[in-house]
Amino acid sequence: MHVAVLAGGRSPEHDISLASAEQVLSHLDRTRWTAWPVHLDRDGRWWPRRQPLPAGVAWQPTDHTDTAGPLRPGAALDWLLDAAGVEVVLPVLHGPFGEDGTVQGMLELYDVPFVGSGCAASAVAMDKLRTRHALQQAGVPLPEAYEPRVGLEAADPALEFARLCDAVGTPAFVKVDASGSTVGVQRITTEAELSRFLGEFRGRFRRWYAERQLLGEEITVAVLGNTGDELQVLPPIGIYPRCDTWFTHEAKYRPGATEEVIPPRGLSPARLDEVQALARRCHEVLVCDGMSRTDLIVTADGPFVLETNTIPGLTRTSLLPQAAAAAGLPFPALLDRLLELALAKAEPRAAAR
């Protein structure tokens, strides 16, 4: 079966997406899947290969000599369906313009099966503030937060720092509204640090907010399956940065910078069941499909949810493949499972038509 692998995109996580896609293409079972990699460049142009990528050949995303591009997204999808015969799409995209429902909405309009959550679920989960509101309504425990009345453009550092201190105190974690891979997340203790944060992301994101720092064990729990069907909650992973005081972008992607332990240290069987139930609940509340990965802090008062990712990283150091392997799903089998879930999700719509 022919599968298009979409990678890159216009978000700050472009390079992480490419690293994920390289791992996907090197592990995809070529006895089952014919791979058509598509480079989405930083300007929004799509570069589909004219021929499928042979097994054992490394993909060079910026080598456009044997591509059908540059094409606008709709034209590229037309080419993939009509010329390449693509039957299912695997978006390996992180952040805005890829994980936020934009690409998913286009694929839904084309009635193309694709891996992961649909347009609505992707859009809500990408927007951290909307995610908070949805999970709050469902009774999911979350850190206390300060939600500013004005966006990034109009934020006054002195005024906002005073309000932030009154609401959640310091240290606090300030976050932009729609990003991932710990891009747009900073730990602050002073007005000057908040001012630098606002200056760095003003013009790039619309909104921001702050959460109270919680002291405890940081963990992540992945879920496989389509909402409404049987879900598989994977083993929790404990996250222990070796060089940083918290799980920064560098700690996440620098090999050896973080110790990741399955199961997490110090969690009782009852607590492990509790965090797995919370991850399942988040997957269901947000109506996720295919996969999700929910990040939590387990404090002395219990677990609190930080966020849910609908397209978790798939790089060499990423957490979803580690959790899947611990559950008996090596990377090729994980990819098989995700593509099978995409095809299963499309079957009812195809039958209705």
Side-chain angles (χ1 to χ4, degrees):
M1 182 169 279
H2 294 259
V3 53
V5 179
L6 310 183
R10 294 166 54 192
S11 89
E13 299 166 72
H14 180 97
D15 292 338
I16 302 299
S17 171
L18 294 182
S20 289
E22 288 167 5
Q23 288 296 300
V24 167
L25 290 164
S26 66
H27 288 87
L28 198 63
D29 183 354
R30 300 307 175 80
T31 67
R32 295 192 62 186
W33 313 103
T34 301
W36 294 83
V38 184
H39 178 216
L40 282 60
D41 70 23
R42 297 180 190 273
D43 296 321
R45 300 171 299 182
W46 291 33
W47 301 82
R49 279 177 56 93
R50 289 189 180 276
Q51 301 294 330
L53 185 71
V57 174
W59 180 47
Q60 303 296 327
T62 57
D63 181 2
H64 296 153
T65 55
D66 190 29
T67 66
L71 297 172
R72 292 180 178 177
L77 192 51
D78 287 337
W79 189 91
L80 288 165
L81 297 175
D82 299 335
V86 161
E87 299 157 276
V88 60
V89 174
L90 174 50
V92 189
L93 301 166
H94 307 312
F97 306 107
E99 191 179 354
D100 61 354
T102 49
V103 168
Q104 290 76 10
M106 181 175 72
L107 295 172
E108 287 176 352
L109 283 173
Y110 274 76
D111 276 330
V112 182
F114 61 93
V115 170
S117 297
C119 177
S122 298
V124 172
M126 188 76 245
D127 187 319
K128 292 182 174 69
L129 283 166
R130 287 191 171 94
T131 298
R132 280 189 60 88
H133 299 158
L135 297 181
Q136 277 177 329
Q137 186 69 24
V140 172
L142 303 165
E144 288 183 84
Y146 166 62
E147 298 185 21
R149 301 170 191 169
V150 297
L152 270 164
E153 286 298 320
D156 176 82
L159 180 60
E160 295 299 344
F161 185 73
R163 290 173 173 171
L164 181 157
C165 289
D166 287 341
V168 298
T170 61
F173 283 95
V174 287
K175 305 179 180 183
V176 297
D177 58 341
S179 186
S181 296
T182 325
V183 173
V185 178
Q186 292 183 14
R187 180 181 181 273
I188 67 157
T189 58
T190 67
E191 180 186 324
E193 289 172 334
L194 177 61
S195 181
R196 284 194 294 271
F197 167 83
L198 297 173
E200 180 177 354
F201 295 105
R202 187 173 281 126
R204 297 169 56 189
F205 296 92
R206 289 184 63 186
R207 297 178 300 158
W208 69 284
Y209 69 107
E211 286 182 340
R212 181 187 300 277
Q213 175 178 287
L214 297 177
L215 298 179
E217 193 155 358
E218 185 163 358
I219 69 167
T220 193
V221 186
V223 178
L224 300 178
N226 298 330
T227 294
D229 297 334
E230 184 177 354
L231 300 179
Q232 179 184 5
V233 185
L234 299 181
I237 301 178
I239 298 165
Y240 309 98
R242 289 190 170 105
C243 303
D244 299 288
T245 56
W246 59 285
F247 199 33
T248 63
H249 178 85
E250 292 72 21
K252 185 173 291 187
Y253 292 108
R254 189 173 66 245
T258 299
E259 186 179 6
E260 291 144 358
V261 179
I262 303 174
R265 299 170 183 150
L267 267 63
S268 67
R271 190 67 89 194
L272 291 173
D273 290 343
E274 184 180 7
V275 297
Q276 287 183 301
L278 274 175
R280 177 193 296 270
R281 181 65 175 145
C282 292
H283 189 97
E284 293 172 335
V285 167
L286 299 173
V287 198
C288 295
D289 290 317
M291 58 186 162
S292 71
R293 201 198 74 230
T294 294
D295 301 332
L296 308 94
I297 294 284
V298 182
T299 73
D301 297 322
F304 293 83
V305 168
L306 300 178
E307 63 178 78
T308 295
N309 306 275
T310 54
I311 306 183
L314 295 170
T315 69
R316 288 188 301 110
T317 59
S318 292
L319 297 162
L320 171 59
Q322 294 185 50
L329 277 175
F331 208 166
L334 171 63
L335 297 175
D336 287 346
R337 177 76 180 279
L338 293 174
L339 288 161
E340 289 161 0
L341 287 167
L343 295 169
K345 181 178 64 172
E347 285 175 1
R349 293 181 65 181
R353 288 197 303 275

